Amino acid sequence: MLDLVHKATLHSMVCQAILVLICLLCYGCGGLTGAKFVFDDTVAIVKNRDVNTLPTNWTAIFTHDFWGASLLSSDSHKSFRPLTTLMFHCEYALLGLSAAHMKFLNLLLHCVNTLLMWRLIRSLYVPEVSTARWAILSAALFAAHPIHTEAVSGVVGRAELMFGMIHLLCLLLTVANTGRLGPQTGGLIMLLTAVGMLFKESAVTIPMSCVLLDYFQNGYYHLRFKDQWSLLRNRISYLFYLLGTLGLLTARLWWQDFETPTFKEVDNPVAHNEHVLTRGLSQQYLLVMNIWLMLCPHWLCYDWALGCVKLVTNIWDLRLQGVIGFYSIVLVALMNFRRLPGMMLALGLMIIPFLPASGIICVGFVIAERTLYVPSIGFCLLSIYGFLYWYDCSTENTNWRTALSIFLMLLYTVMMLRTRQRASDWLNEEQLFKSALQVCPDNAKVHYNIARLATDTGNNTKAFQHYHKAIELYPNYESALMNLGNLYREHGQLSTAEEYIRLALQAYPAFPAAWMNLGIVQSAQGKFDKALASYEKALKYRANFAVCYYNMGNLYLEQKRFADALHHWQHAVALNPRQPKAWANILTMLDNKGLQDDALRISNQALQHLPNDASILFIRANVLGKLKQYPEAEAIYKRVVELEPHNTLYHTNLGVLYHRWDKTQEAIEAYQTAISISAARATTARENLSKLLKRLEREAQVTQR
């Protein structure tokens, strides 16, 4: 007996080790070293003050959406996931803002979810298949499936991973209490559901999945009830789940003041189409597209919005054959659910978690691969269930069974290789956007993001090319029009810049960033009154627009209205303290006015929010140098030079400090370093070095006399 227990324990340990190994091989821990924040990570984490601000602002985390905007703001997407944001914040507080460790934690959560799925299937009672084989094969497919790459390799996929974990825990709890879902079990599941909804809104479907699982575990073939009263009591518990779900949903909507999000056509063209038939048919086709991505995850794209999926405009579209096929399978499953309950259970666990993303409510995407993380649990169960059913029906044909086994091993190998390849795409944005272009060459958003990245890296030729391509594919793409205008402005083509920004405003008149950028162009043209009017328009549509206040300050500076400029910069940093340019302008103005003590005090405030900003540290060092506090100024200059070693100005001013401090040799070295970095930009360094060397030469001649 003990030998059997030991063998069972050893078998379980081996199975779990294999599953974890598959996860690690697919995503490769070592490959995370050079990982960067990509796509949605930038907005939800890098630029989100709720994540990267210390000390913790608890009120903000629980009143802002996942992207950092106020939940009650008209700009908010209403995606309320405070516990996910809090996890990111805790990681930032403990380990800093590192994409590598955040993605590694995602990988660990995926391993945990894989093991929970294996444990769940082993706990099921499904007489028509071996649950031991069903468990290991389904969990292995779940571990290796490429559709999970976005959820695991994209840091914002943490919401899906936590939803998946709580979903599986609730299902395990349901299996452990099958047939006796009393108040304690039901209350615990509803509590976990509430917690799950604070990680991801889709967790509201957990009670429905639990009801489905309990129904198929005892309703028709697992007779655990001794009387009809027990059966009736169990069914009444389902009503408790329904009422609890409605209560949680109502509370969630109340928290956002029952306001619905407003999405742009660029986010979801299907939902914005004016024809009911087109919307309905296209949404049904998208449902099949999601299943196809799980069935054949060859074409994967981080964004399926514009140009990836053509709208289905009539009932004669051949793509609707897939829709007919899917509903035919559902119909067959319903007709045979008593004979093949495992198939129906798997189908239900695939459909129910997907309901919030299925188009029954307005969402801000066409297809989002990470939303398939939890539904894929049911898909993996269904796929392996079909394989085992087919395999067990071939008991007399050993060659066929061997062929099926070989096919399954090849499938796992291909899946693992595809997942590893896809995970490498998610290491940085350049690879991610490039891979998307191969899948959706006519996706305007892909071209837009490639152009945006090219602008950030200084490849303006590429940026122009892809912005124009994005606008060619979608002429009313307001963000692309505005950014193209900004690019022309940076190249001094102000008239062309104004033309494109005005086109952006024609496409979207209530676009605050476009009004602000129009004001910047008008200011550069010397049209100060028009610029001010544009800035005021921007503030009309976004009252707390910190960057706009910063630019208004610059406008007043151009007009030599120094008090107004200072006031607007101060208002900008009050709204958003993480604005280095606004802080730098405030400090520079105070320094120029001779208010060095005020400049030092304000610089301390700025460094509390931006402790490693070179521009703020540089101005502080300059002020300390003027006050002849040379040792402290030297320490800060060295820190600035370490942060930006190729900045000629920083080395030049360090040389000036040494020059004043009578540290001649150190001054010469600093000037020479500035000249070696860029002789063209180091004019001051050359002049100061020349004066210093001439002075030393004269002093040497005097000494010789």
Side-chain angles (χ1 to χ4, degrees):
M1 185 67 181
L2 288 175
D3 288 341
L4 290 175
V5 173
H6 289 157
K7 286 182 180 179
T9 303
L10 181 61
H11 179 264
S12 295
M13 292 176 64
V14 170
C15 288
Q16 293 176 68
I18 290 172
L19 293 173
V20 172
L21 181 61
I22 291 173
C23 293
L24 297 179
L25 287 174
C26 286
Y27 294 95
C29 299
L32 295 176
T33 305
K36 297 180 180 178
F37 292 108
V38 296
F39 194 42
D40 287 341
D41 296 345
T42 305
V43 181
I45 299 169
V46 179
K47 295 182 179 180
N48 191 343
R49 292 173 58 195
D50 297 339
V51 172
N52 52 40
T53 300
L54 292 173
T56 308
N57 187 343
W58 298 99
T59 304
I61 289 177
F62 284 91
T63 56
H64 288 178
D65 67 14
F66 188 52
W67 313 101
S70 171
L71 197 62
L72 301 181
S73 167
S74 58
D75 296 330
S76 173
H77 286 187
K78 313 302 181 187
S79 47
F80 183 60
R81 303 162 197 171
L83 293 187
T84 307
T85 302
L86 188 59
M87 281 188 76
F88 294 150
H89 176 78
C90 291
E91 289 173 73
Y92 166 74
L94 293 173
L95 301 170
L97 206 60
S98 166
H101 82 251
M102 287 184 167
K103 293 188 178 189
F104 180 67
L105 182 53
N106 276 15
L107 176 55
L108 291 181
L109 289 171
H110 181 54
C111 293
V112 171
N113 287 340
T114 302
L115 296 178
L116 287 174
M117 179 179 172
W118 170 79
R119 184 71 183 88
L120 170 67
I121 306 168
R122 278 175 57 90
S123 304
L124 297 178
Y125 176 78
V126 183
E128 64 268 26
V129 295
S130 165
T131 52
R133 287 186 299 165
W134 197 21
I136 186 64
L137 294 177
S138 298
L141 182 59
F142 181 80
H145 206 298
I147 201 66
H148 299 151
T149 313
E150 181 174 347
V152 178
S153 297
V155 182
V156 295
R158 180 74 55 79
E160 311 294 337
L161 296 166
M162 293 304 299
F163 165 35
M165 180 186 293
I166 294 173
H167 182 262
L168 288 165
L169 288 172
C170 287
L171 293 179
L172 279 165
L173 189 60
T174 301
V175 172
N177 293 274
T178 296
R180 52 181 189 277
L181 290 180
Q184 291 182 341
T185 304
L188 183 56
I189 287 175
M190 295 310 300
L191 176 62
L192 287 172
T193 300
V195 173
M197 288 176 67
L198 297 178
F199 282 107
K200 180 70 189 283
E201 300 87 343
S202 301
V204 72
T205 60
I206 289 175
M208 295 172 63
S209 297
C210 292
V211 167
L212 176 79
L213 179 59
D214 182 77
Y215 181 81
F216 279 101
Q217 280 295 282
N218 70 76
Y220 280 95
Y221 60 88
H222 195 192
L223 301 176
R224 294 182 177 179
F225 301 107
K226 296 180 179 179
D227 52 50
Q228 291 299 315
W229 170 246
S230 298
L231 184 63
L232 178 62
R233 184 177 59 187
N234 199 62
R235 296 296 181 263
I236 291 175
S237 68
Y238 296 167
L239 181 61
F240 167 76
Y241 280 97
L242 175 61
L243 294 175
T245 300
L246 291 175
L248 289 175
L249 191 57
T250 303
R252 171 65 179 79
L253 293 173
W254 173 79
W255 195 251
Q256 66 185 47
D257 206 18
F258 293 96
E259 294 179 355
T260 56
T262 302
F263 297 109
K264 301 175 185 176
E265 184 180 357
V266 69
D267 297 318
N268 190 348
V270 174
H272 280 78
N273 192 276
E274 58 184 9
H275 300 291
V276 176
L277 180 63
T278 299
R279 285 202 308 271
L281 294 177
S282 298
Q283 202 61 60
Q284 294 304 309
Y285 176 65
L286 288 178
L287 177 63
V288 175
M289 274 288 295
N290 279 281
I291 296 172
W292 177 251
L293 289 176
M294 291 189 285
L295 188 64
C296 182
H298 174 61
W299 291 320
L300 297 177
C301 184
Y302 74 93
D303 194 311
W304 290 83
L306 290 175
C308 277
V309 182
K310 304 297 182 184
L311 297 177
V312 181
T313 57
N314 60 75
I315 59 174
W316 309 114
D317 195 308
L318 294 178
R319 291 175 292 173
L320 291 178
Q321 293 178 13
V323 177
I324 296 170
F326 169 70
Y327 282 109
S328 299
I329 293 172
V330 173
L331 181 61
V332 170
L334 287 170
M335 293 171 62
N336 294 274
F337 79 98
R338 295 191 184 188
R339 188 168 62 89
L340 301 173
M343 180 176 70
M344 194 63 192
L345 173 63
L347 194 61
L349 291 178
M350 179 178 71
I351 294 173
I352 290 173
F354 184 70
L355 288 175
S358 65
I360 59 174
I361 59 173
C362 184
V363 293
F365 54 84
V366 177
I367 294 174
E369 292 166 13
R370 61 175 176 257
T371 63
L372 296 175
Y373 184 81
V374 178
S376 70
I377 295 173
F379 174 82
C380 293
L381 286 171
L382 184 63
S383 301
I384 300 302
Y385 179 91
F387 172 83
L388 290 175
Y389 190 81
W390 200 3
Y391 184 86
D392 291 338
C393 289
S394 308
T395 52
E396 297 179 0
N397 192 338
T398 55
N399 291 334
W400 180 244
R401 297 184 76 171
T402 302
L404 284 175
S405 300
I406 293 172
F407 168 77
L408 188 63
M409 292 304 104
L410 286 174
L411 176 65
Y412 283 130
T413 303
V414 171
M415 288 284 192
M416 291 175 66
L417 291 174
R418 176 62 178 134
T419 299
R420 191 168 181 85
Q421 178 193 33
R422 186 60 180 158
S424 68
D425 291 338
W426 277 87
L427 288 176
N428 59 70
E429 288 192 329
E430 184 177 1
Q431 291 175 237
L432 184 64
F433 298 159
K434 183 180 178 181
S435 68
L437 202 58
Q438 296 171 356
V439 177
C440 296
D442 293 333
N443 187 331
K445 287 189 78 173
V446 171
H447 287 281
Y448 167 80
N449 281 308
I450 291 173
R452 179 181 54 79
L453 182 63
T455 303
D456 293 342
T457 55
N459 191 344
N460 290 332
T461 302
K462 186 177 181 180
F464 275 118
Q465 175 190 345
H466 284 279
Y467 275 135
H468 279 291
K469 184 64 177 178
I471 294 166
E472 177 188 334
L473 292 168
Y474 185 59
N476 289 328
Y477 199 166
E478 69 277 3
S479 296
L481 288 165
M482 181 190 71
N483 283 8
L484 183 58
N486 291 340
L487 201 58
Y488 276 115
R489 185 196 76 219
E490 291 173 5
H491 282 73
Q493 300 181 41
L494 299 180
S495 298
T496 307
E498 183 176 358
E499 177 186 345
Y500 276 103
I501 294 174
R502 288 194 179 279
L503 287 173
L505 288 168
Q506 287 179 19
Y508 180 34
F511 194 2
W515 281 111
M516 181 192 72
N517 282 294
L518 178 61
I520 294 173
V521 171
Q522 291 168 332
S523 178
Q525 292 172 325
K527 303 173 183 177
F528 297 135
D529 291 339
K530 290 184 178 180
L532 183 59
S534 296
Y535 288 143
E536 288 172 348
K537 265 290 185 67
L539 293 172
K540 172 186 173 183
Y541 293 115
R542 188 184 300 170
N544 296 324
F545 200 175
V547 180
C548 188
Y549 280 104
Y550 161 74
N551 283 300
M552 287 182 78
N554 293 346
L555 173 64
Y556 288 126
L557 181 66
E558 289 281 338
Q559 297 174 298
K560 301 188 185 306
R561 295 167 58 179
F562 301 118
D564 289 331
L566 185 61
H567 170 72
H568 280 77
W569 290 331
Q570 289 171 335
H571 192 56
V573 296
L575 290 171
N576 180 10
R578 301 179 68 84
Q579 287 198 91
K581 291 182 179 179
W583 284 114
N585 284 3
I586 292 170
L587 295 174
T588 301
M589 181 170 285
L590 292 173
D591 185 25
N592 290 340
K593 286 184 174 182
L595 302 173
Q596 277 78 29
D597 290 337
D598 288 337
L600 290 178
R601 177 176 54 81
I602 297 297
S603 66
N604 273 330
Q605 295 177 14
L607 291 171
Q608 289 176 7
H609 302 283
L610 298 162
N612 295 313
D613 186 83
S615 61
I616 296 172
L617 289 167
F618 175 68
I619 297 171
R620 181 175 175 82
N622 289 344
V623 173
L624 289 168
K626 290 178 181 180
L627 295 175
K628 298 184 179 182
Q629 298 181 27
Y630 297 133
E632 188 177 350
E634 179 191 25
I636 296 177
Y637 273 130
K638 286 183 176 180
R639 186 177 167 192
V640 169
V641 166
E642 186 179 343
L643 289 169
E644 295 187 19
H646 301 295
N647 190 307
T648 56
L649 180 61
Y650 295 167
H651 287 281
T652 300
N653 278 34
L654 178 59
V656 172
L657 177 76
Y658 285 134
H659 202 150
R660 292 175 179 170
W661 200 358
D662 291 331
K663 289 192 171 186
T664 306
Q665 187 57 41
E666 287 87 345
I668 292 172
E669 291 175 2
Y671 289 142
Q672 288 176 339
T673 303
I675 295 167
S676 66
I677 292 170
S678 175
R681 296 180 180 178
T683 305
T684 304
R686 284 201 312 273
E687 292 175 355
N688 287 356
L689 179 61
S690 176
K691 291 177 182 178
L692 180 58
L693 292 175
K694 287 179 180 178
R695 194 194 80 187
L696 292 175
E697 185 179 348
R698 287 196 301 270
E699 290 176 354
Q701 291 174 354
V702 170
T703 303
Q704 288 176 0
R705 292 176 187 172

